[in-house]
Amino acid sequence: MTTLFEPLTLRSLTLPNRVWMAPMCQYSSPASGEDAGVATDWHHTHYATRAVGGSGLVLTEATAVSAEGRISPYDLGLWNGRQTEALRRVTRAIAEHGAVPGVQLAHAGRKASTGRPWDGGGPLRQDEGGWPVVGPSPVPFAEGHLLPAELSTGRMGEIAQEFADAARRALEAGFRVAEVHGAHGYLLAQFLSPVSNRRTDAYGGDHAGRTRFPLEVVDAVRAVWPDELPLFFRISATEWLAEGGWTPDDTVRFAADLLAHGVDLLDVSTGGNVPGVAIPSDPGYQVPFAARVRAETDMPVAAVGLITEPGQAAKILAAGEADAVLLGRQLLRDPYWPLRAARELGHTGEVLPLQYRRAA
C-alpha cells in the first residue's frame, strides 16, 4: 500500500488520506452588495467535485477575514453571517463525499484591491471598485501598485481579532481544519520579509520583530479554534533572492516558533512577495524546502508545487520528505486525480465513491 492513501491523524482529527487539495482562488463571489464574499453554486460544485474525486482534505481558496483583506472584489469571505451560512452548504457537501473541509484564512495586505486574472489582474482604483490597501510599511508591491498605508499597532490588533472572528465563523460553517495564510506576499508574509517590512518598532527589524505579528495572529486563531482540531500555517519558504529577503533558514527557525504556538502542520510553498524573480519550474521544485523543515524540526509538513504524477507523489512520502502532498492546478485539470493515483499505484482500499464502484 502506498502511504498516499494511509490516514493521517493531527490532534483528534483523522484525515482519510494524504492527497490534499491546495487553496486556489476562484474569484467567483459577488463583488458588492449584501452577497459580497458569499459562496455560490460554483464554489459548491467546485469543492464537492474534488471530494468526490478522492482528495482527503479540501482547502478553500484564500478566504478574506475582512472586505479590506480581499485580493480582488470577487474573493470568498468570512466576515459576516451571510457568508458563514453559504459556506455551510459547501462544507456539508465536502464531508458527505468523504473529505475533510478546510478553510484558508487570509488578508492580502498591500496585494489587495486587484482585478481578476482574466480581467488583467492589475491594481484597481476606487472608481473601478478598488479600496485603499495596508501593509507593514509604505512600500508598494511593484511599480504601479497601490501605496499601502503603514498599519498602526492598534489596527494590527483589530486584524488579529478579525482572523479570530473568521475562525469562529469557519467552525460554525462546518470546517474542521483552519489554515492561516502567511505565504505568497500577502499580509503576514509581508511582515515576515525585510523586503516589505521596514518598520523600526517592535514589529520590524530582526527575526523576532518580523515574526511577532504573524505569531499574534496564530495565537488569536488558536485561542478560538478547538483544541481537538488542527491548525495549519502556509508559508513561502524562500523569496528566491540571491541575497536578502526571507530565507529557508528563516523558515526552519519560524517553523519551530509556530509549533510552540500551537500550529500542527506547515504548508510549504515559495515566492510571491517579490515581483520579477526567477523561479524554477522543475517537477517538485518546492519539495526540498518542506523536506528540510521536516528533517530539522518536529513540525509535520505538506509539500506542494508541480506534483503531477502518482509515482512522484508516492516517492515524496516514502522518502520522508513530507507528511502529505497538496495538489493545485493538477486538480483543476483532473478533479479525479486521487482516484487515478489509487488505481495506478495498486491501492486496494476503497477510494471510489459507492456510486462509482461498479466502474472499478
Side-chain angles (χ1 to χ4, degrees):
M1 178 190 294
T2 172
T3 53
L4 274 181
F5 296 98
E6 289 183 358
L8 177 65
T9 298
L10 297 169
R11 297 199 179 226
S12 297
L13 180 70
T14 297
L15 297 128
N17 64 45
R18 301 168 188 235
V19 185
W20 300 346
M21 180 181 179
M24 290 174 284
C25 289
Q26 297 298 294
Y27 306 105
S28 295
S29 292
S32 59
E34 63 180 8
D35 284 335
V38 168
T40 65
D41 286 346
W42 174 264
H43 297 97
H44 177 271
T45 301
H46 172 65
Y47 291 117
T49 299
R50 274 70 195 176
V52 171
S55 296
L57 170 66
V58 174
L59 283 165
T60 64
E61 61 212 75
T63 303
V65 301
S66 67
E68 168 196 75
R70 292 173 293 174
I71 301 166
S72 85
Y74 302 93
D75 285 15
L76 204 58
L78 253 178
W79 65 83
N80 64 42
R82 195 175 186 89
Q83 296 160 345
T84 306
E85 186 60 35
L87 280 167
R88 281 196 184 98
R89 179 171 175 246
V90 175
T91 62
R92 187 165 55 245
I94 292 170
E96 284 177 352
H97 296 302
V100 173
V103 63
Q104 186 186 68
L105 302 175
H107 190 298
R110 67 178 185 168
K111 291 180 77 174
S113 189
T114 61
R116 294 177 293 192
W118 51 85
D119 293 330
L124 297 175
R125 302 186 307 268
Q126 286 189 263
D127 62 357
E128 297 173 317
W131 57 91
V133 302
V134 298
S137 304
V139 180
F141 170 63
E143 184 177 351
H145 279 246
L146 301 174
L147 179 70
E150 180 171 308
L151 284 166
S152 67
T153 55
R155 179 66 188 121
M156 288 159 59
E158 292 172 354
I159 291 173
Q161 186 60 51
E162 289 167 355
F163 270 90
D165 291 342
R168 283 196 194 93
R169 294 188 187 100
L171 187 65
E172 293 172 13
F175 289 103
R176 307 297 287 167
V177 171
E179 176 172 273
V180 174
H181 197 354
H184 301 159
Y186 298 118
L187 183 62
L188 301 188
Q190 292 160 28
F191 270 89
L192 293 175
S193 172
V195 172
S196 44
N197 184 346
R198 312 283 178 82
R199 299 176 75 99
T200 57
D201 63 2
Y203 292 93
D206 61 8
H207 180 91
R210 287 182 284 108
T211 60
R212 190 181 309 276
F213 180 56
L215 288 174
E216 288 179 355
V217 169
V218 166
D219 288 344
V221 173
R222 186 74 267 182
V224 302
W225 195 245
D227 286 342
E228 67 270 18
L229 294 180
L231 176 64
F232 294 3
F233 190 96
R234 187 166 228 197
I235 196 163
S236 286
T238 179
E239 295 185 298
W240 298 105
L241 293 171
E243 57 183 40
W246 183 263
T247 70
D249 289 343
D250 292 322
T251 296
V252 170
R253 182 178 175 186
F254 188 46
D257 297 336
L258 290 167
L259 191 63
H261 284 255
V263 171
D264 301 290
L265 181 139
L266 194 64
D267 173 356
V268 184
S269 188
T270 65
N273 194 47
V274 181
V277 294
I279 298 178
S281 57
D282 301 321
Y285 69 101
Q286 295 177 146
V287 174
F289 301 103
R292 184 178 169 193
V293 171
R294 193 174 191 268
E296 297 183 26
T297 74
D298 293 325
M299 176 73 83
V301 300
V304 66
L306 285 178
I307 299 170
T308 59
E309 296 301 324
Q312 174 197 15
K315 286 179 182 178
I316 290 167
L317 299 191
E321 295 177 305
D323 298 276
V325 294
L326 285 155
L327 273 61
R329 297 180 191 185
Q330 187 62 28
L331 281 178
L332 299 185
R333 290 186 285 266
D334 181 3
Y336 301 98
W337 189 96
L339 302 183
R340 177 168 64 83
R343 184 176 65 250
E344 289 186 14
L345 295 170
H347 175 65
T348 57
E350 298 293 357
V351 179
L352 277 172
L354 287 169
Q355 297 90 335
Y356 290 178
R357 287 182 189 169
R358 61 187 175 189

